[in-house]
RNA sequence: GGGCACGUGGCGAAAUUGGCAGACGCGCUGGAUUUAGGUUCCAGUGGGGCGACCCGUGAAGGUUCGAGUCCUUUCGUGCCCACCA
């Protein structure tokens, strides 16, 4: 039969058409609706760096497929988008190219918004936010004041990480590995007065909360646990010889080794250093050593330099034996962890052993290896638990027993207590840069630090500031902004000339989406009660200890303030994999392997881009870009286009036609098996790649059947299949399905249709293939009715020559029978 | 040095619980249509063998009627952490 000629598939025309219509209809805007189960879906908000590439497209398409699917399943889906718009690159652009950060940022946002629309993502754009707008950062400042009111924001002088390239301090999390997270410059140490948030007070709550998040990747939870670094041990107090009252506190997890402590090691910043060296011949040496280390970062001290130290000139007294213990000033003890002092137990700590050997300090063994363990080779410390010796009355105890008993003895004497330490430090929040939310405080000569009253928020960023890149905050050079009156006394005062870490802006943005235009509050508590927490949060693993930790901390505080329900913001977390360049390397401008969204949408269409990216691999795994692969997706869509349009009216409501659920069982089985498979895999399992494969398989089968028979009945089956195909494909390829739906008699938008449900009776098979194995190797498959007995299947199997050939002259010793699946004959 | 992932055709990959390894797509080969190419369509495509069959999921062992899947050892790749006392 001659096929009617149809228009060729023209993705650019279709995509532009529907993007315009969806926008006119406000199709993707969503309101609170108590009658439908809510689903809050969110991707981590992007930094507007300029251009989106296919890696971004993957991330956002992933969310869009899930969102569209859930909407068709009846959920009230909130899926918003916004911009993490403060930050250094905008300011660097200003320094390098003379463009105002605001202008640069706005330009990038406009471009990226256009690209996301072009991708067809169903965001509710009426809720779009920009963290650099005064309407937004007003509330960031308000939350800063809330933290201050709750005693969680404070200013103190501390050794901090300083990036000499970006001229700003960095949080610990942003200086991992001793390099700046943004520019990679080596971080220096400086003693500065800075603002902090008291995240360490929440360390245990942050740890405990992880246990309530089964749908977070274990990898991320492990990284957070490691970063929090909870460590149980004891603080032990050593008296300083000859200085009554002065004591040195050390933290140890190995109290059982205390009789082996032959020296104390302290950081050069430790306050006891002055006391110990004062009046001794070592004084000058100690000061020179401290001076040398002063500006060195932890990376420099602990990894780039060998262990070294100098004798402080003084001694401490062992809290149990009262022995004289020399105190050494070293580079390997961190000033910022524990108390900045440790007891050196060279026999049972590898680091202490290295140090003791270098400086000929005593090594005293106090732990014997347990019976089933050997002494370590010479040169290595025995660091495991064992049995105590050379430990006075505690000899013979196991390490575990000794920790308890010695702990009790020290506590009784007032020389020690059980302590928990954390690697996590308080969050350094202030930045000496322009393009951020100003810290809403005023310095008054009389009243000190005074918070800006809430009704005077926002503290606006001044429009102009010198963007020179030289040290110091640019805001300090804007007198008209800097000089104000004190809110308390009305006298002359100066603003805090610093801005907040941008991670502060992104710690709460997902709540602003809920009430984006509210001018009375950061968000309505009722809206939060309806929408929060985020049901599915999608983003990269690089934020494991930055954004994801800060936001959890923030949310716990907000919960205590009664502003949000629950105490975890992200119920399910999903880390998508990277799209690598065609050469299998990470996409980057410098490698020249970046593939942009616009280029792909121009040549293949946004739908093909989406389908290919969902198809190319499992969503949590990396895969390399393939331009040949996207061409395949275009081909598949064109086949669907032709097949659907060759069957006019196939998307009509089947209830309105004279549908007959009978017909060709083969076709109906194929259709309904795929509906079931795709529904299952798109839901909790998130196997989006196999969903696309299943759609392709369904297409293959429908195509094959459409070619063979042409009668009313078979055509009805094909129509049923094509209608399902369009609906199943709709989340992946929203434009082509909308067009096909419209052209084929569908009513309304395809994206608000009910997700197809499968007909269980179509899945009932009259005969099933049962695999027959001999000694575990497949020899045949026999077809029989579901529920057939073992005997029946054996009888059928014995008719297969490929089976009997293997049984020739042997006896069947054992039969394994899995009903409806498998028969294994074991012969000897 | 420690931790966590992951190793399957020429390539991207699939394989809920241990039960037909390689679905689906790319690429490739041959053919049809067109013919200038492309598009489209058909057939084939893990290796070996004429064949019945044999081999095959980084490597080596083990458990099991049966292992890509579980266990042990080992090699390789990637990511994270790393003198935290």
């Amino acid at each position: 039969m001659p096929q009617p000629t149809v228009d060729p598939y023209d993705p650019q025309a279709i995509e532009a058409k529907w993007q315009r219509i969806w926008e006119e209809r406000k199709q993707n805007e969503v309101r609170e609706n108590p009658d439908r189960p809510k689903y809050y879906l969110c991707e981590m908000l992007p930094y507007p760096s300029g251009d989106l590439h296919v890696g971004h497209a993957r991330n956002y398409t992933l969310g869009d497929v899930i969102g569209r699917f859930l909407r068709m399943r009846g959920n009230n889906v909130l899926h918003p988008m916004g911009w993490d718009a403060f930050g250094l690159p905008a300011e660097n652009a200003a320094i390098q190219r003379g463009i105002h950060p605001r202008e640069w940022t706005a330009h990038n946002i406009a471009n990226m918004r256009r690209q996301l629309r072009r991708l067809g993502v169903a965001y509710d754009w009426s809720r779009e936010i920009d963290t650099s707008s005064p309407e937004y950062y007003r509330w960031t400042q308000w939350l800063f004041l809330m933290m201050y009111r709750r005693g969680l924001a404070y200013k103190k002088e501390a050794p901090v990480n300083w990036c000499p390239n970006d001229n700003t301090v960095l949080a610990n999390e942003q200086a991992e590995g001793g390099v700046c997270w943004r520019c990679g410059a080596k971080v220096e140490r400086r003693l500065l007065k800075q603002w902090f948030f008291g995240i360490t007070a929440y360390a245990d709550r942050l740890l405990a909360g992880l246990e309530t998040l089964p749908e977070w990747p274990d990898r991320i939870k492990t990284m957070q646990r490691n970063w929090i670094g909870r460590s149980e041990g004891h603080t032990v107090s050593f008296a300083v010889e000859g200085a009554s009252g002065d004591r040195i506190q050390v933290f140890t997890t190995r109290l059982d080794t205390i009789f082996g402590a032959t020296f104390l090691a302290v950081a050069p910043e430790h306050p006891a250093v002055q006391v110990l060296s004062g009046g001794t011949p070592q004084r000058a040496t100690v000061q020179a050593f401290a001076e040398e280390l002063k500006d060195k970062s932890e990376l420099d001290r602990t990894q780039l330099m060998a262990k070294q130290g100098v004798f402080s000139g003084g001694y401490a007294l062992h809290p149990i034996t009262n022995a004289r213990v020399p105190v050494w000033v070293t580079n390997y003890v961190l000033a910022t962890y524990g108390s900045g002092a440790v007891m050196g137990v060279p026999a049972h700590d590898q680091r202490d052993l290295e140090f003791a050997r270098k400086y000929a300090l005593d090594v005293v063994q106090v732990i014997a290896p347990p019976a089933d363990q050997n002494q370590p080779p010479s040169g290595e410390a025995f660091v495991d638990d064992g049995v105590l010796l050379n430990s006075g009355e505690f000899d013979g105890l196991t390490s575990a027993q000794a920790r308890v008993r010695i702990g009790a003895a020290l506590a009784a004497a007032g020389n020690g207590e059980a302590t928990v330490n954390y690697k996590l430090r308080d969050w350094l929040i202030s930045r000496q840069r322009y393009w951020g939310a100003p810290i809403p405080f005023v310095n008054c000569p009389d009243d000190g630090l005074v918070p800006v009253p809430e009704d005077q928020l926002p503290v606006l960023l001044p429009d102009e500031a010198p963007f020179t890149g030289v040290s110091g905050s640019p805001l300090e050079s804007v007198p008209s902004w800097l000089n104000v009156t004190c809110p308390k006394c009305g006298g002359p005062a100066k603003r805090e000339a610093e801005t907040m870490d941008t991670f502060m802006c992104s710690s709460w943005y997902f709540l602003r989406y809920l009430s984006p235009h509210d001018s009375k509050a950061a968000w309505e508590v009722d809206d939060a009660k309806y929408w929060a927490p985020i049901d599915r949060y999608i983003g990269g693993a690089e934020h494991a200890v930055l954004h994801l930790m800060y936001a959890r901390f923030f949310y716990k505080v907000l919960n205590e303030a009664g502003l949000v329900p629950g105490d975890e913001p992200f119920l399910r977390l999903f880390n998508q994999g990277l799209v690598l360049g065609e050469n299998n390397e990470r996409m980057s401008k410098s490698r020249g392997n970046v593939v942009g969204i616009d280029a792909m949408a121009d040549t293949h269409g946004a739908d093909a881009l989406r389908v290919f990216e969902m198809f190319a691999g499992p969503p949590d795994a990396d895969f390399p870009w393939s331009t040949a692969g996207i061409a395949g997706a275009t081909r598949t869509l064109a086949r669907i286009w032709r097949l659907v349009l060759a069957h006019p009216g196939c998307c009509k409501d089947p209830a309105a036609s004279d549908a007959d659920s009978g017909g060709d069982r083969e076709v109906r089985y194929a259709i309904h098996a795929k509906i079931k498979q795709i529904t299952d895999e798109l839901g909790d399992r998130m196997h989006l790649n196999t969903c696309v494969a299943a759609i392709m398989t369904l297409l293959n089968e429908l195509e094959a059947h459409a070619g063979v028979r042409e009668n009313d009945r078979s055509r009805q089956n094909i129509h049923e299949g094509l209608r399902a195909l369009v609906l199943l494909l709709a989340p992946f390829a929203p434009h082509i399905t909308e067009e096909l739906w419209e052209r084929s008699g569908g009513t309304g938008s395809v994206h608000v249709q009910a997700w197809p449900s499968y007909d269980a009776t179509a899945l009932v098979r009259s005969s099933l293939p049962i695999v027959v194995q001999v000694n575990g190797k497949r020899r045949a498959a026999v077809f029989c009715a579901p529920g057939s007995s073992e005997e029946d299947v054996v009888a059928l199997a014995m008719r297969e020559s490929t089976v009997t050939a293997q049984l020739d002259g042997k006896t069947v010793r054992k039969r394994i029978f899995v009903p409806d699946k498998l028969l294994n004959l074991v012969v000897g």
Side-chain angles (χ1 to χ4, degrees):
Chain A
M1 180 193 281
Q3 301 268 314
T5 46
V6 296
D7 308 340
Y9 172 44
D10 179 359
Q12 283 71 30
I14 294 170
E15 289 167 7
K17 168 185 165 186
W18 286 106
Q19 283 158 19
R20 198 191 63 239
I21 293 175
W22 292 332
E23 209 157 310
E24 284 166 6
R25 288 185 189 157
K26 301 185 189 300
Q27 176 154 331
N28 298 319
E29 295 185 14
V30 61
R31 298 248 148 66
E32 296 69 37
N33 178 351
D35 298 333
R36 300 176 87 188
K38 72 96 183 178
Y39 199 95
Y40 188 0
L41 171 72
C42 190
E43 292 100 52
M44 292 178 189
L45 94 169
Y47 180 79
S49 52
D51 234 351
L52 293 175
H53 58 65
V54 291
H56 299 104
R58 183 187 192 190
N59 187 197
Y60 302 125
T61 302
L62 193 58
D64 195 40
V65 172
I66 301 294
R68 288 179 184 274
F69 166 67
L70 290 170
R71 188 169 310 170
M72 290 173 81
R73 297 213 77 191
N75 286 88
N76 192 26
V77 177
L78 173 59
H79 192 195
M81 180 41 75
W83 313 100
D84 187 18
F86 273 138
L88 272 178
E91 200 166 335
N92 288 340
I95 294 164
Q96 282 153 24
R97 287 181 270 164
I99 310 167
H100 193 282
R102 180 171 290 120
E103 206 179 308
W104 185 85
T105 304
H107 178 264
N108 288 346
I109 287 176
N111 184 51
M112 286 168 71
R113 186 195 295 119
R114 176 190 64 77
Q115 289 181 312
L116 287 176
R117 285 196 155 117
R118 188 169 190 192
L119 196 57
V121 185
Y123 292 125
D124 179 351
W125 286 107
S126 74
R127 296 173 183 263
E128 179 183 0
I129 57 165
D130 167 353
T131 61
S132 70
S133 70
E135 297 77 45
Y136 183 90
Y137 72 69
R138 166 184 177 183
W139 299 110
T140 306
Q141 292 172 338
W142 180 80
L143 287 162
F144 189 102
L145 294 177
M146 182 203 75
M147 294 299 254
Y148 179 76
R149 272 200 314 275
R150 300 183 75 82
L152 290 167
Y154 63 92
K155 204 173 184 187
K156 75 161 186 194
E157 189 165 73
V160 297
N161 302 302
W162 176 266
C163 174
N165 185 47
D166 291 336
N167 281 310
T168 186
V169 299
L170 299 169
N172 234 29
E173 289 79 355
Q174 295 165 344
E176 281 195 54
V179 296
C180 172
W181 69 297
R182 260 207 189 286
C183 69
K186 229 174 75 182
V187 167
E188 295 171 4
R189 146 147 335 203
R190 295 212 179 163
L191 202 61
L192 291 170
K193 202 163 183 204
Q194 296 290 332
W195 281 96
F196 291 87
F197 279 169
I199 190 172
T200 47
Y202 284 70
D204 277 332
R205 277 169 276 189
L206 288 166
L207 273 178
L210 292 175
E211 306 302 324
T212 69
L213 299 170
E215 298 199 58
W216 273 44
D218 289 335
R219 209 167 109 247
I220 303 295
K221 289 195 278 192
T222 303
M223 283 166 74
Q224 291 213 351
R225 281 189 198 104
N226 289 343
W227 191 261
I228 293 167
R230 183 188 156 96
S231 172
E232 288 183 22
H234 288 82
T235 301
V236 182
S237 174
F238 285 68
V240 175
E241 186 188 49
S244 61
D246 279 312
R247 303 190 76 89
I248 299 173
Q249 315 281 341
V250 306
F251 175 73
T252 179
T253 56
R254 290 300 304 276
L255 191 60
D256 51 313
T257 66
I258 192 167
F259 284 83
T262 54
F263 65 96
L264 294 191
V266 302
E269 289 84 0
H270 197 283
V273 170
Q274 299 306 321
V275 179
L276 289 156
S277 62
T280 72
Q282 276 75 27
R283 196 185 143 87
T285 324
V286 168
Q287 282 198 335
F289 184 66
E291 192 60 32
E292 185 197 333
L293 290 181
K294 208 178 111 216
D295 296 331
K296 296 257 200 286
S297 70
E298 284 180 4
L299 180 84
D300 284 324
R301 294 189 196 194
T302 60
Q303 283 180 62
L304 304 182
M305 297 169 77
K307 278 188 190 57
Q308 52 176 284
V310 295
F311 176 47
S312 69
Y315 291 83
L317 298 175
H318 193 287
I320 299 177
T321 66
N322 222 31
R324 293 175 87 213
V325 180
V327 181
W328 283 68
V329 183
T330 73
N331 63 341
Y332 79 96
V333 172
L334 308 175
T336 50
Y337 183 74
S339 53
V342 302
M343 61 182 200
V345 185
H348 304 292
D349 184 289
Q350 191 60 34
R351 299 155 299 184
D352 295 345
L353 183 61
E354 276 171 44
F355 190 79
R357 293 189 154 210
K358 183 164 181 179
Y359 297 105
L361 298 165
D362 291 342
V363 180
V364 178
Q365 188 191 357
V366 292
I367 306 287
D372 59 346
Q373 234 176 312
N374 296 324
Q375 288 283 355
S378 78
E380 281 183 33
F382 177 73
V383 298
D384 297 333
D385 279 7
V387 180
L388 271 70
L389 67 146
N390 295 328
S391 298
E393 59 174 298
F394 303 103
D395 279 0
L397 295 179
T398 65
S399 290
Q401 292 165 336
R403 285 192 281 267
V404 175
R405 295 270 299 275
I406 296 174
L410 285 173
N415 285 329
E417 59 183 0
T419 308
V420 177
N421 250 322
Y422 301 92
K423 261 176 63 179
L424 184 71
R425 316 292 161 80
D426 275 351
W427 174 11
L428 201 170
I429 197 93
S430 45
R431 298 288 181 274
Q432 290 70 45
R433 299 304 299 242
Y434 166 78
W435 192 233
I439 291 176
F441 271 80
V442 164
N443 275 298
C444 172
D446 294 329
D447 299 311
L449 271 175
V450 181
V452 173
E454 283 177 15
D455 59 8
Q456 291 175 31
L457 298 181
V459 175
L460 288 168
L461 264 182
D463 275 340
E464 295 303 329
F467 304 116
T468 56
V470 298
S471 189
S473 172
L475 293 175
E476 279 175 346
S477 313
V478 188
S480 59
W481 178 86
L482 192 68
N483 296 308
V484 289
T485 53
C486 171
K488 213 165 176 181
C489 66
K494 285 189 191 311
R495 289 194 188 281
E496 279 287 79
E498 293 177 330
T499 52
M500 298 178 212
D501 181 3
T502 55
F503 280 98
M504 164 96 190
C505 310
S506 58
S507 289
W508 71 279
Y509 74 98
F510 48 92
L511 294 162
R512 186 63 181 169
Y513 284 140
L514 310 183
S515 318
H517 309 296
D518 197 320
S519 59
K520 304 236 167 23
W523 61 88
E524 288 296 329
V525 174
D526 283 346
D527 291 341
K529 280 184 180 151
Y530 179 78
W531 289 112
I534 290 181
D535 293 277
R536 171 79 67 188
Y537 198 37
I538 301 173
E542 68 272 20
H543 291 296
V545 291
L546 290 165
H547 165 62
L548 287 173
M549 183 88 83
Y550 296 143
R552 291 183 59 224
F553 159 60
F554 232 87
Y555 201 82
K556 286 178 188 304
V557 178
L558 295 174
N559 175 49
E560 284 162 17
L563 295 170
V564 295
D567 69 348
E568 285 290 341
F570 315 123
L571 216 51
R572 298 178 192 83
L573 177 66
F574 191 86
N575 292 127
Q576 85 283 359
L578 296 172
V579 180
L580 305 170
E582 215 141 7
N583 55 0
N584 240 313
E585 290 175 352
R586 198 182 264 263
M587 275 194 195
S588 71
K589 275 183 196 157
S590 58
R591 290 196 181 91
N593 59 354
V594 177
V595 181
I597 283 186
D598 286 325
M600 288 303 116
D602 284 345
T603 50
H604 297 91
D607 279 338
L609 175 61
R610 295 169 55 114
V611 167
F612 171 64
E613 294 215 58
M614 294 302 101
F615 174 64
D620 54 352
D622 298 350
F623 71 82
W625 178 255
S626 162
T627 300
I630 190 178
T634 310
R635 231 166 5 239
T636 300
L637 292 176
R639 279 169 62 202
I640 292 173
W641 176 262
R642 290 192 297 269
L643 187 63
V644 170
L645 293 185
H647 293 82
C650 66
C651 291
K652 275 187 193 140
D653 190 346
S657 73
D658 55 344
D660 169 12
S661 65
D664 188 328
R665 292 197 63 85
E666 282 297 305
V667 185
R668 295 205 78 238
Y669 180 83
I671 296 166
H672 290 273
K674 290 304 164 201
I675 294 175
K676 181 175 184 336
Q677 181 193 341
I678 293 167
T679 307
D680 291 347
E681 299 203 332
L682 205 44
D684 294 334
R685 298 219 305 157
M686 299 248 300
H687 284 198
L688 272 56
N689 52 331
T690 56
C691 289
V692 178
I695 289 170
M696 289 169 171
T697 309
L698 178 57
L699 168 64
N700 291 344
E701 305 213 20
L702 291 174
E703 228 171 30
H705 282 88
V708 178
R709 295 199 199 88
E710 282 293 344
N711 60 51
D712 287 351
R713 201 162 212 217
S714 70
R715 203 170 299 124
Q716 202 135 27
N717 288 142
I718 299 296
H719 282 205
E720 181 184 5
L722 289 173
R723 185 174 190 275
L725 182 72
V726 170
L727 290 168
L728 294 170
L729 182 64
F732 295 91
H735 310 89
I736 187 176
T737 48
E738 191 80 296
E739 179 74 15
L740 289 172
W741 186 257
E742 184 186 60
R743 291 196 189 200
S744 304
T747 40
S749 167
V750 72
H751 300 295
V752 299
Q753 304 303 313
W755 185 252
S757 54
Y758 63 90
D759 176 358
T761 62
L763 297 179
V764 177
R765 313 234 72 182
S766 56
S767 95
L768 291 171
I770 295 186
V771 173
V772 182
Q773 297 180 334
V774 178
N775 284 347
K777 275 193 191 308
R778 179 191 194 273
R779 295 299 169 183
V782 296
F783 285 82
C784 56
S788 291
S789 69
E790 181 171 348
E791 282 64 34
D792 291 347
V793 175
V794 170
L796 284 169
M798 290 307 172
R799 287 194 219 147
E800 298 290 326
S801 61
T802 50
V803 174
T804 50
Q806 298 296 323
L807 301 179
D808 185 38
K810 294 167 190 153
T811 48
V812 175
R813 285 195 292 121
K814 196 171 173 183
R815 295 194 309 221
I816 309 289
F817 180 65
V818 183
D820 293 345
K821 222 171 195 176
L822 172 125
L823 174 70
N824 187 12
L825 303 170
V826 185
V827 298

